């Protein structure tokens, strides 16, 4: 019991020390960001006798819709509580970019939630170059809703491409649940689809009430009773590596190990890379690559 008590006391002391170190850092960060924003940047007249290089504290408070005393205490590093809504307002006034906004949240000890309305719909040339370099191994970039943001040639060789006219982004779940069962590329459909819906359900918890997500769930439920059944089960599962078996009309069954890789700067997206699980599957992937040139 003595060891547990000592450990708890040490942990509490460490946490308190970290808390005290964040407050001066928060104060310095806010002052530095305030100094770089001019009145002209926010549509205010410069005024006379301006001693500060940027906005005054009272101007930041006014533009953010918070009290001058409250903002002053925040910038002084006093132990006051800040809500996500207030931090967002301050971040907008100070013209913080996404990394700076996240830094502000961490210093204020408020859980950070990225702006969900600005979800990625494409990837940059660097990420596209990475997945292209994985060829002849199939690779794709998904977001948490299984929208397809980018693919390489090998992925397109293995999977049929569907443009999803009338829906928007191509979406793997939409394809899998709306294709006739004989056309489904998953050999073990009844074991794979429940896992994918469980992953979707785990991500949905961070997006409840968002129009794009609610519309997607509603529309897929309307066209697939099987999706509705799996969705209503409430099962949750994180992404992870596993072996999947796909069918291709030209080469037969292909057994692949899938691995998810996070993308720096795109926290809700991942690269999924597929590698052959046996020599026969490797040869069949190679056969698909050779067919590409014909």
């Amino acid at each position: 019991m003595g060891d547990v008590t000592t450990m708890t006391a040490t942990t509490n002391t460490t946490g308190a020390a970290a808390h005290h170190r964040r407050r001066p850092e928060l104060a310095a960060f806010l002052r530095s960001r305030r100094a770089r924003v001019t009145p002209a940047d926010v549509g205010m007249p410069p005024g006379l006798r301006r001693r500060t290089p940027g906005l005054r504290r009272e101007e930041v408070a006014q533009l953010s819709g918070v009290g001058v005393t409250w903002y002053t205490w925040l910038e002084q590093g006093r132990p006051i509580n800040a809500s996500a809504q207030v931090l967002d307002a301050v971040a907008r006034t100070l013209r913080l970019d996404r990394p700076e906004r996240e830094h502000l949240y961490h210093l204020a000890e408020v859980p950070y939630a990225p702006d969900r309305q600005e979800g990625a719909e494409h990837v940059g040339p660097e990420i596209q170059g990475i997945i292209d370099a994985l060829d002849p191994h199939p690779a794709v970039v998904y977001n948490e809703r299984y929208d397809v943001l980018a693919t390489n040639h090998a992925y397109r060789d293995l999977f049929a491409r569907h443009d999803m006219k009338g829906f928007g982004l191509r979406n793997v779940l939409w394809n899998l649940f709306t294709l006739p069962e004989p056309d489904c590329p998953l050999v073990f459909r009844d074991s794979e689809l429940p896992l994918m819906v469980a992953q979707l359900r785990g991500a949905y918890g961070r997006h409840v009430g968002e129009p794009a997500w609610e519309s997607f769930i509603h529309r897929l439920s309307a066209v697939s009773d099987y999706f509705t059944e799996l969705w209503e089960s409430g099962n949750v599962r994180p992404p992870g590596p596993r072996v999947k078996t796909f069918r291709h009309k030209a080469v037969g069954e292909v057994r692949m190990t899938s691995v998810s890789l996070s993308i720096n700067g795109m926290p809700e997206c991942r690269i999924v890379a597929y590698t052959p699980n046996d020599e026969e599957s490797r040869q069949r992937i190679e056969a698909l690559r050779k067919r590409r040139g014909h």
Side-chain angles (χ1 to χ4, degrees):
M1 289 294 291
D3 291 341
V4 173
T5 302
T6 301
M7 184 182 300
T8 302
T10 301
T11 302
N12 291 341
T13 302
T14 302
H19 172 81
H20 289 303
R21 285 196 297 270
R22 284 193 184 96
R23 289 296 169 171
E25 182 66 21
L26 172 62
F29 179 67
L30 287 172
R31 287 195 298 268
S32 68
R33 300 307 90 176
R34 176 167 61 85
R36 72 179 186 181
V37 181
T38 68
D41 289 334
V42 294
M44 297 179 65
L48 302 175
R49 300 174 184 165
R50 180 172 291 274
R51 297 178 181 178
T52 58
L55 296 178
R56 300 186 178 100
R57 286 175 176 168
E58 58 269 25
E59 291 169 338
V60 174
Q62 177 185 352
L63 292 168
S64 303
V66 300
V68 175
T69 300
W70 183 92
Y71 178 77
T72 300
W73 286 359
L74 181 69
E75 196 175 286
Q76 289 175 344
R78 297 197 188 189
I80 60 174
N81 294 324
S83 67
Q85 292 78 7
V86 169
L87 289 180
D88 277 344
V90 171
R92 285 192 295 270
T93 298
L94 298 180
R95 306 168 72 90
L96 303 186
D97 60 22
R98 183 165 178 164
E100 290 172 330
R101 184 184 296 252
E102 183 173 1
H103 186 58
L104 172 65
Y105 268 70
H106 290 327
L107 293 178
E109 299 178 278
V110 173
Y112 176 68
D115 188 347
R116 308 298 184 185
Q117 304 304 318
E118 297 181 0
E121 296 186 3
H122 57 83
V123 301
E126 299 84 1
I127 302 302
Q128 184 67 57
I130 290 172
I131 64 173
D132 286 343
L134 292 173
D135 196 335
H137 295 163
V140 59
V141 179
Y142 296 136
N143 63 16
E144 290 191 312
R145 202 169 54 234
Y146 282 95
D147 292 328
V148 177
L149 306 187
T151 61
N152 66 4
H153 282 297
Y155 182 93
R156 297 192 292 272
D157 290 341
L158 185 58
F159 303 105
R161 297 185 66 184
H162 299 271
D163 292 332
M164 303 307 304
K165 292 180 180 178
F167 182 78
L169 290 173
R170 289 177 295 130
N171 182 277
V172 169
L173 283 177
W174 186 274
N175 287 338
L176 293 176
F177 279 101
T178 58
L179 283 173
E181 189 168 346
D183 296 333
C184 180
L186 292 171
V187 173
F188 303 110
R189 178 177 183 268
D190 288 340
S191 60
E192 288 295 336
L193 289 183
L195 292 175
M196 296 178 73
V197 174
Q199 290 180 21
L200 180 75
R201 186 96 199 191
Y204 173 73
R206 297 184 288 275
H207 298 272
V208 174
E210 293 178 17
W213 275 75
E214 299 297 345
S215 174
F216 176 73
I217 300 302
H218 174 76
R219 295 178 67 179
L220 191 47
S221 297
V223 298
S224 173
D225 292 338
Y226 187 35
F227 173 79
T228 301
E229 175 189 338
L230 295 176
W231 183 255
E232 291 179 350
S233 72
N235 292 335
V236 173
R237 181 185 176 101
R242 63 178 183 271
V243 177
K244 300 181 181 181
T245 304
F246 304 101
R247 63 168 62 92
H248 192 285
K249 62 183 180 181
V251 299
E253 292 187 3
V254 183
R255 290 165 292 280
M256 307 288 283
T257 299
S258 68
V259 177
S260 295
L261 308 171
S262 61
I263 304 174
N264 188 33
M266 299 178 68
E268 298 203 344
C269 299
R270 65 191 186 277
I271 295 173
V272 178
Y274 298 87
T275 55
N277 194 54
D278 51 56
E279 180 58 23
E280 183 179 48
S281 296
R282 188 197 67 77
Q283 292 176 2
R284 291 177 176 178
I285 288 293
E286 178 62 17
L288 287 175
R289 187 187 67 81
K290 290 179 178 179
R291 285 171 53 86
R292 190 188 308 161
H294 295 168

